[in-house]
Amino acid sequence: MPRVRAARASWYAGQELDTYLRQRAWHWTVKRNYALAADYCIRLLNRHPQDTMGLVLGEMAGRYTSQEAFAVKCAEALRHSCQRKGVADVTELVRCRLPTVATVPPSPPTTAAPGVMQLPSADDVLALRAEMAEKEVDKNILEAESLYVHNSEPADYLSQAVRRCCLRSAAPPLAELLEPAQTTYGRGLYATQHIQPRNSILCEAPLLVQRCDETKCAHCLAPLPPRSGSSITTTTTGVSDPDMYGVACPHCRQETYCSEECRDAAWAQYHACSCASINPELARWAEGMREVLHRGGAAAASREANETGLVNTGSEARAALSCLTVAKICAMATVQQKHPLSLPGLSCLRGVADYEPATALSEIGALTVALSAALRQPNLYMEEVLSLFALLQTNEFFTTSGIALCVVLSMLNHSCDPNCALVSAATAPVAGARGSRQHKSAMEKHLVTLRPIRDGEQLFIDYNAALTTKIGYEDRKALCAQRHFECFCCRCICRS
């Protein structure tokens, strides 16, 4: 009997996975996100090479992602299926293989709640296929796609997070999170009383950081203290000897920290999954990303910001840094046994990513496969990885030491004429700051007022003051459109 129950549970699990893959493939095809649809179709066809719905959707997705070989294989498999079933064409094949009405798949006895997504009917699939067949696909110019990620945490949870950060600077809290119905900004932070200049409104430590400078702590970006009688020497791939500075991981000797507290915290949060002594496959992949990050002397160049305020490490190094951050998030999810987008704090954020479908399918798809194999997470999909990139690119704070991802500070909206600024808590004391700790994160930030703020006024920061103060009207509007934010200061509303 135990074997029968195990076999039955395995069969139900396989059925649930197949249904999920079909649902997501259909969902993204309807949404015109063909790269994500192609990823789910490929995974479905790897399990069931003759799956009718997977072949039909895969043929459509292959056309719109410039994957001609994939589209041709799907079309050829459909013809073979028609011959085996003795039907004249794909239309008859779809009608005999798919349900005549949209259905909600039943749940197995072990599932508490039924699925909420419907499987399409045969008529739905055929109508979409006919619509796609009428459109001409320009293989040289593919339409860019966008992925929007919405927060899943309730408003009360976010409000409490803002309150906790505010109480670290002042009591009662000087700000609150609101999302007025009549606003073009969406949600934002608003003053709860009149606030004088140079007052600290809130203080927050980052959810996670990723360094691009090997002389900084891997967990908090604080400078690594040299050990007595030693000095730090760097190469194009980082620091020459990890035993000469900071506190190294005792297992792999590759990750270095500014203190034992950071080392222990990193191990508990993510390094227990990514340490080379435990997961050599992921460590080799991360080492390759770090080589890209530091290629061409980027480690030395990373200490100097260019005129845009960003580190001048090149697009490849910038992409490698983002990949390392996404891998760290996935490692955190593995340690906590949670879905990456359900991690505490991360689920509060919103994001958007614009991508070219063919490039995303090849590059993000390859990254997903690598992380899935290294983390032993077979059900890590391209949708999750691309969603993490969307959250990261929308909410990251970039410095010459690396990038940091914050929760509450990400709720702030942009203005070229801001009323607040972010100040490092470790280097710049500000009025109103409460409490002290023996060890402060180098990326911990205070939100400080620049001028008097009225009760109920929204708080703004300048996302990139080094850039927005130098470029003209048209360039600022293009930057806002590219980064998906709005600015309604007088300089951005008026051309003069």
Side-chain angles (χ1 to χ4, degrees):
M1 289 301 294
R3 292 184 179 179
V4 173
R5 286 195 295 268
R8 186 178 181 85
S10 177
W11 183 85
Y12 273 124
Q15 292 295 307
E16 282 187 316
L17 178 58
D18 295 340
T19 299
Y20 176 78
L21 295 175
R22 294 188 185 101
Q23 288 170 337
R24 300 310 291 171
W26 171 254
H27 172 80
W28 290 119
T29 304
V30 172
K31 293 288 187 180
R32 305 299 191 266
N33 288 76
Y34 299 108
L36 298 179
D39 178 64
Y40 283 111
C41 288
I42 291 171
R43 292 174 182 267
L44 177 61
L45 294 174
N46 282 336
R47 291 174 53 83
H48 304 287
Q50 301 301 324
D51 186 87
T52 302
M53 185 173 175
L55 291 173
V56 173
L57 298 181
E59 182 184 10
M60 289 187 285
R63 291 177 57 210
Y64 285 89
T65 55
S66 295
Q67 303 295 321
E68 293 300 324
F70 178 52
V72 170
K73 286 183 179 180
C74 289
E76 186 67 23
L78 284 172
R79 285 194 292 270
H80 290 321
S81 295
C82 291
Q83 294 174 2
R84 286 196 307 272
K85 297 297 181 181
V87 296
D89 54 19
V90 176
T91 300
E92 292 187 19
L93 177 67
V94 171
R95 291 192 183 280
C96 72
R97 297 291 294 173
L98 298 184
T100 56
V101 295
T103 59
V104 176
S107 300
T110 56
T111 303
V116 296
M117 295 180 61
Q118 287 187 336
L119 287 174
S121 66
D123 291 337
D124 294 333
V125 175
L126 292 174
L128 181 62
R129 186 170 185 265
E131 179 186 346
M132 296 299 179
E134 295 176 357
K135 296 178 63 176
E136 292 291 336
V137 180
D138 188 347
K139 299 180 177 58
N140 297 320
I141 305 177
L142 293 177
E143 294 183 4
E145 299 175 358
S146 298
L147 175 65
Y148 293 87
V149 183
H150 302 283
N151 63 292
S152 58
E153 292 290 350
D156 291 343
Y157 180 91
L158 295 175
S159 298
Q160 289 300 320
V162 173
R163 179 180 175 84
R164 286 192 296 269
C165 289
C166 290
L167 288 175
R168 296 178 64 184
S169 291
L174 300 179
E176 61 180 345
L177 178 67
L178 297 175
E179 189 168 3
Q182 303 297 327
T183 180
T184 55
Y185 286 103
R187 63 183 179 182
L189 298 183
Y190 291 78
T192 58
Q193 64 185 58
H194 181 79
I195 309 174
Q196 295 295 330
R198 297 186 59 80
N199 268 24
S200 174
I201 298 177
L202 62 87
C203 180
E204 184 186 20
L207 179 65
L208 62 93
V209 301
Q210 178 60 49
R211 64 180 177 182
C212 62
D213 184 353
E214 297 292 331
T215 64
K216 301 298 189 293
C217 175
H219 186 66
C220 73
L221 299 184
L224 292 174
R227 293 187 178 181
S228 58
S230 64
S231 60
I232 297 179
T233 57
T234 60
T235 65
T236 58
T237 59
V239 186
S240 59
D241 186 1
D243 294 325
M244 297 178 63
Y245 63 96
V247 180
C249 171
H251 306 287
C252 65
R253 313 298 299 177
Q254 294 180 3
E255 294 295 328
T256 48
Y257 308 95
C258 62
S259 64
E260 293 183 356
E261 290 83 358
C262 273
R263 181 196 63 190
D264 296 340
W267 181 267
Q269 291 182 22
Y270 52 85
H271 193 56
C273 174
S274 58
C275 182
S277 64
I278 297 175
N279 195 337
E281 184 176 358
L282 181 60
R284 286 193 296 269
W285 175 87
E287 182 62 28
M289 288 293 104
R290 282 193 288 267
E291 289 179 1
V292 175
L293 178 62
H294 298 290
R295 184 179 299 157
S302 66
R303 298 188 182 90
E304 297 180 2
N306 60 17
E307 63 179 3
T308 65
L310 299 178
V311 174
N312 187 20
T313 56
S315 58
E316 286 189 0
R318 187 71 179 83
L321 187 62
S322 297
C323 290
L324 287 169
T325 309
V326 169
K328 181 176 286 189
I329 296 174
C330 293
M332 291 175 63
T334 302
V335 171
Q336 299 182 30
Q337 294 295 299
K338 292 180 178 290
H339 189 279
L341 298 176
S342 299
L343 287 171
L346 200 68
S347 56
C348 302
L349 303 179
R350 300 172 181 174
V352 57
D354 298 324
Y355 57 92
E356 196 273 321
T359 303
L361 185 60
S362 59
E363 296 183 359
I364 304 298
L367 174 63
T368 303
V369 172
L371 291 179
S372 177
L375 294 170
R376 301 172 183 86
Q377 297 288 345
N379 293 331
L380 180 65
Y381 302 119
M382 179 178 162
E383 179 182 353
E384 282 83 12
V385 174
L386 192 57
S387 297
L388 292 177
F389 273 106
L391 294 178
L392 181 63
Q393 294 173 5
T394 304
N395 300 283
E396 66 187 355
F397 289 86
F398 200 85
T399 70
T400 55
S401 300
I403 56 179
L405 192 61
C406 299
V407 178
V408 174
L409 293 178
S410 297
M411 309 295 171
L412 291 164
N413 287 310
H414 166 83
S415 174
C416 298
D417 184 23
N419 53 17
C420 296
L422 297 180
V423 179
S424 173
T427 59
V430 292
R434 304 198 315 162
S436 61
R437 295 183 307 281
Q438 183 177 3
H439 175 70
K440 290 185 177 180
S441 169
M443 280 300 295
E444 191 173 72
K445 296 292 185 180
H446 278 284
L447 180 66
V448 181
T449 55
L450 299 177
R451 59 173 182 262
I453 296 179
R454 304 184 308 274
D455 183 9
E457 182 179 352
Q458 186 173 180
L459 308 179
F460 293 99
I461 61 173
D462 193 334
Y463 288 168
N464 194 336
L467 177 61
T468 55
T469 56
K470 296 180 180 180
I471 60 178
Y473 173 83
E474 295 295 340
D475 291 333
R476 284 199 304 275
K477 299 301 289 185
L479 177 64
C480 290
Q482 178 186 5
R483 302 296 292 179
H484 297 281
F485 63 85
E486 296 288 346
C487 182
F488 296 96
C489 70
C490 58
R491 295 174 58 223
C492 291
I493 294 177
C494 304
R495 288 178 178 270
S496 58

